[in-house]
Amino acid sequence: MSTENAEQQEFWEAFAEVWVTQQQALDGLMAPVLDLVLDRAGLKEGDRVLDIGCGTGTSTLRAAQRTAPGGHVMGVDISDPMLRRARSIAGSVSGVRFETADAAHYNFEAASFDAVISRFGVMFFVDPVLAFSNIRRAMKPGARMTMACWGELKSNPWFQVPMYAAKDHLGAPPPVDPDAPGPMAFRDIKRVSGIMRDAGFGDVSGSANDLYLTPPGDLAAVARHASSNGPASRAVSHFNGGPEDIAVITKSIEDALSQYATADGILVPAKINLFTATA
């Protein structure tokens, strides 16, 4: 594992417990995003697929279903705890492999994949051109990469609501470089398209897609989920907040998200950037 991405590895190792504990809730939340990626990827029976930032493996297993029989999907992530969960869920499913790896530096077999997919797994590279160049070399000529990334903050209340709830209660944490590795780093379609071209990809396309996130549970449960990870959780950690602070922030999130309650559950509007490119 390269030391270049050590900070990101440390972050994901710390976040892994939350992700593993809340895996079903997070997968439910992001199910429409994964559907978007898989529908656009056009995976076929027998394809060899690379899944970047596979986390606890749901995207890898869904891809394996689409490439069976005869396909093979390799899921890579820098978090050992998440991959242990992924292997546990996968069990004896054939055609699936998980590897602890930094995709920016891993020595993939050259020209070995028919397709590359990623659901929110590519926004954390310290040197994205280097990382995507390495991924491209692992793809067969003409293979396509399909990846989903968060769009602009103002169009993603799942991030914006907890951020403002925590800020109103605790204050604003120190500003960070908006283009630094992080969830919103690939919000600018033009910038990311340029990164992909610089990495040697062709037929680069980026589009902003409106959809609804589908967090499971009632409003109170969804608010607890939103306050326990992401911007709210990081703010509480930064300001050394306690249970009373978390309770106040969670109630504020619940009030703000109530506008998205429907007869079909909580439907949170989102703007998702979908990128495709050809090796």
Side-chain angles (χ1 to χ4, degrees), residues 25 54 97 142 189 201 223 257:
C54 66
R97 170 189 172 194
I189 292 176
F201 282 92
L257 292 181

Side-chain angles (χ1 to χ4, degrees), residues 21-209:
T21 302
Q22 300 186 8
Q23 179 233 326
Q24 290 185 333
L26 286 163
D27 281 340
L29 169 77
M30 297 186 295
V33 180
L34 181 54
D35 288 343
L36 175 67
V37 171
L38 294 175
D39 289 346
R40 296 289 182 89
L43 304 181
K44 305 182 301 298
E45 289 184 6
D47 276 352
R48 290 178 56 83
V49 181
L50 175 61
D51 182 9
I52 304 293
C54 66
T56 52
T58 297
S59 52
T60 308
L61 293 172
R62 288 280 305 280
Q65 291 174 347
R66 297 204 176 198
T67 58
H72 185 274
V73 187
M74 178 180 178
V76 299
D77 203 283
I78 61 175
S79 171
D80 274 323
M82 289 192 193
L83 291 180
R84 285 195 294 271
R85 175 70 170 174
R87 293 185 185 104
S88 174
I89 294 171
S92 59
V93 173
S94 62
V96 171
R97 170 189 172 194
F98 294 104
E99 187 75 26
T100 304
D102 178 354
H105 300 279
Y106 186 78
N107 186 25
F108 296 107
E109 180 183 351
S112 59
F113 293 103
D114 299 294
V116 176
I117 62 170
S118 183
R119 178 195 65 177
F120 297 146
V122 296
M123 303 93 72
F124 306 94
F125 295 126
V126 174
D127 185 338
V129 173
L130 181 150
F132 285 119
S133 295
N134 190 50
I135 294 167
R136 178 183 54 79
R137 285 189 289 270
M139 300 167 66
K140 296 177 182 179
R144 190 163 80 153
M145 181 171 189
T146 306
M147 58 189 196
C149 309
W150 293 104
E152 57 189 1
L153 177 66
K154 68 180 182 180
S155 299
N156 282 292
W158 185 254
F159 277 90
Q160 190 178 47
V161 166
M163 178 181 292
Y164 285 142
K167 180 180 177 180
D168 290 345
H169 180 63
L170 295 172
V176 297
D177 179 358
D179 293 332
M184 297 292 172
F186 280 12
R187 70 200 178 283
D188 185 333
I189 292 176
K190 183 178 180 180
R191 172 177 173 266
V192 177
S193 297
I195 289 171
M196 300 298 290
R197 294 188 184 97
D198 289 345
F201 282 92
D203 300 321
V204 178
S205 176
S207 63
N209 296 263

Side-chain angles (χ1 to χ4, degrees), residues 182-254:
M184 297 292 172
F186 280 12
R187 70 200 178 283
D188 185 333
I189 292 176
K190 183 178 180 180
R191 172 177 173 266
V192 177
S193 297
I195 289 171
M196 300 298 290
R197 294 188 184 97
D198 289 345
F201 282 92
D203 300 321
V204 178
S205 176
S207 63
N209 296 263
D210 294 308
L211 50 75
Y212 289 96
L213 304 179
T214 52
D218 61 19
L219 191 57
V222 171
R224 289 194 299 271
H225 178 193
S227 67
S228 64
N229 61 79
S233 176
R234 288 193 285 274
V236 170
S237 177
H238 175 78
F239 288 106
N240 296 314
E244 292 183 358
D245 299 302
I246 295 172
V248 171
I249 292 169
T250 301
K251 182 60 169 65
S252 178
I253 293 172
E254 182 176 346

